[in-house]
Structure formats: structure tokens, C-alpha cells
Amino acid sequence: MEKILIVEDEVELALNIKEIVENFGYEVVGIYSEANSVLAYLDSFKVDLILMDIQIQGNIDGIDLCYKIKDRTNIPIIFLTAYSDQSYLDRISNLVYDGYLLKPFKVESLKTAVYLALKSKPYAISQKDLGKLSLKIRDKGYVVPIPLGDILYLKADGLYTKVFTSAKSYIVRDILKDLQSQLPEELFIRPHKSYLVNIEKISSFNSKELKVSGAIIPIRRGYFKILSEMNQ
């Protein structure tokens, strides 16, 4: 089931959109009203589509948030807005986006826009393919393929990264961000700037930390909500 994120600062409208989208057969994984919460969520979780209001809370509006998201990933984005001013159109003219619906919009118009945006999204890795993937690292002059399912977590260590598996640990001469780009978002989350964690290895968590095979890993502020929604 495709996962959709709603960015809307009017609570009643956001809940209405959620109900409509779920009636289409999609899963709404979250509703956020400001940019930082959206970016924090996307640091750790994959979504298939974002429904984006332009006027949202905070100093970053929906258009600037879209620019930031597109710098990181190619998630399809549909703008839902009551504004059609030339100034807004000029700002989004250089953006890669997948729809622009003016409020109030018809249910069928939203259904069509969502369907077409999802049809154009990049191919996602299947769970079957995930099981075949590995992270290739250098260890004592040899290239070692580590099955992704064996990795517990990765920890930043200056210009290096420590990779922890159930059998042993490795020190890799790459920064965490570079290794993150090699790992599927479906399997690895970043609950703290210094850690990447295999979702399937998390045994428990609270508002301050999570546990992976006996290791205690801190989580950043506000991340408990994201973990809780992921485990619903």
C-alpha cells in the first residue's frame, strides 16, 4: 500500500484530506504542519507521495520545503493550495513537482492527481530484493560484502564509520552520510545524527533512546512520535 504524507496547518482540513485519501485505498503515514517535522520524518522514513500546502507554520513555507526535499530525494509532491498568485507560480516554476490543485478541489481531481503522481514515482526496492542486498566495505585490504540483514547499526566516528553486525564490528573509511546513501530507506532509519539503525533490529524504545541487541542508542528530540507511528 502506497504511503502518503500530508503537510497542512489547518487541522480539520488535514483530517478531511486524510479520510478522502484513505478512501482511495492509500495509507496516510503522518500529518505535519511545519517544515522541520517533515524533514525529520523524511530523514528516517520513506514515503511514496507528499500532499503539500504552501502556507504552513514556521519560517519555511511549502515551496521552500519542497526545494529542500527535492535536494534529498525524488519523492513526488502535489501542491494543494488556495493561492494562484503569479508570485507563487514564479517560485515553483523551476521545481520538479507532480501536481497543483487549487482549494477547494473536487474529490475526483485529487484522486486523479494522486494516481498519476504515484504512477510516475521511481521504482521502489521490493522486500524480496532487500534480502539479497549487501553493503560492500573494505576490511584489511579485502572487499567484504555484509548482508543488510546482518547489520545492527552504524555509528559515526569522525571521518570514519563503525558498522556493527551480530558477529563483529568494522571500521569503514567513509562518513555516515555517504554510507546512508548506499542503504535503502525502507530498512535503515537515522534516529540520531550519529547513528543509522536497522529497523528490524530494534527491540524496544522510549522517548530518549532505543535498544538494538543490547546497545542503547539515543534518539533526537521529537523522534519518539515517529517511531510510535511506525510501529502502529
Side-chain angles (χ1 to χ4, degrees), residues 36-217:
N36 290 331
S37 297
V38 175
L39 295 174
Y41 186 92
L42 296 178
D43 274 343
S44 302
F45 299 104
K46 176 179 172 56
V47 301
D48 299 296
L49 175 68
I50 298 175
L51 300 179
M52 178 79 71
D53 187 19
I54 289 180
Q55 292 293 338
I56 57 177
Q57 295 176 9
N59 297 324
I60 302 175
D61 69 8
I63 298 174
D64 287 334
L65 175 56
C66 185
Y67 275 104
K68 290 180 179 293
I69 292 171
K70 290 297 185 178
D71 283 342
R72 304 179 179 201
T73 184
N74 194 31
I75 300 171
I77 294 175
I78 297 175
F79 285 109
L80 306 178
T81 179
Y83 299 90
S84 59
D85 297 358
Q86 187 65 41
S87 59
Y88 289 112
L89 298 177
D90 288 341
R91 288 177 59 202
I92 70 170
S93 61
N94 294 321
L95 269 171
V96 178
Y97 63 98
D98 297 84
Y100 190 98
L101 293 180
L102 284 174
K103 302 174 184 176
F105 48 81
K106 295 181 179 179
V107 171
E108 285 303 315
S109 297
L110 178 60
K111 183 177 183 179
T112 300
V114 169
Y115 176 80
L116 292 176
L118 288 171
K119 289 288 285 186
S120 67
K121 72 183 179 71
Y123 174 74
I125 302 173
S126 69
Q127 289 297 318
K128 181 179 179 181
D129 290 333
L130 280 175
K132 301 177 181 178
L133 298 179
S134 63
L135 176 66
K136 295 178 176 62
I137 67 169
R138 287 191 172 274
D139 183 49
K140 299 177 181 179
Y142 293 89
V143 175
V144 180
I146 306 175
L148 298 190
D150 291 349
I151 298 175
L152 302 174
Y153 63 94
L154 299 86
K155 180 182 179 182
D157 187 13
L159 297 176
Y160 296 82
T161 300
K162 293 181 179 179
V163 180
F164 294 85
T165 73
S166 52
K168 61 180 294 187
S169 62
Y170 303 86
I171 297 179
V172 184
R173 192 175 294 180
D174 288 296
I175 61 174
L176 187 63
K177 182 179 179 181
D178 289 343
L179 289 176
Q180 182 178 12
S181 67
Q182 301 175 42
L183 296 169
E185 298 174 351
E186 297 93 330
L187 192 60
F188 288 87
I189 62 173
R190 196 165 182 177
H192 184 276
K193 65 179 181 179
S194 298
Y195 291 88
L196 271 175
V197 177
N198 186 334
I199 296 173
E200 296 181 349
K201 304 300 182 180
I202 298 174
S203 59
S204 62
F205 62 90
N206 59 30
S207 61
K208 296 182 179 180
E209 61 195 24
L210 59 82
K211 292 183 179 181
V212 175
S213 189
I216 297 176
I217 296 173

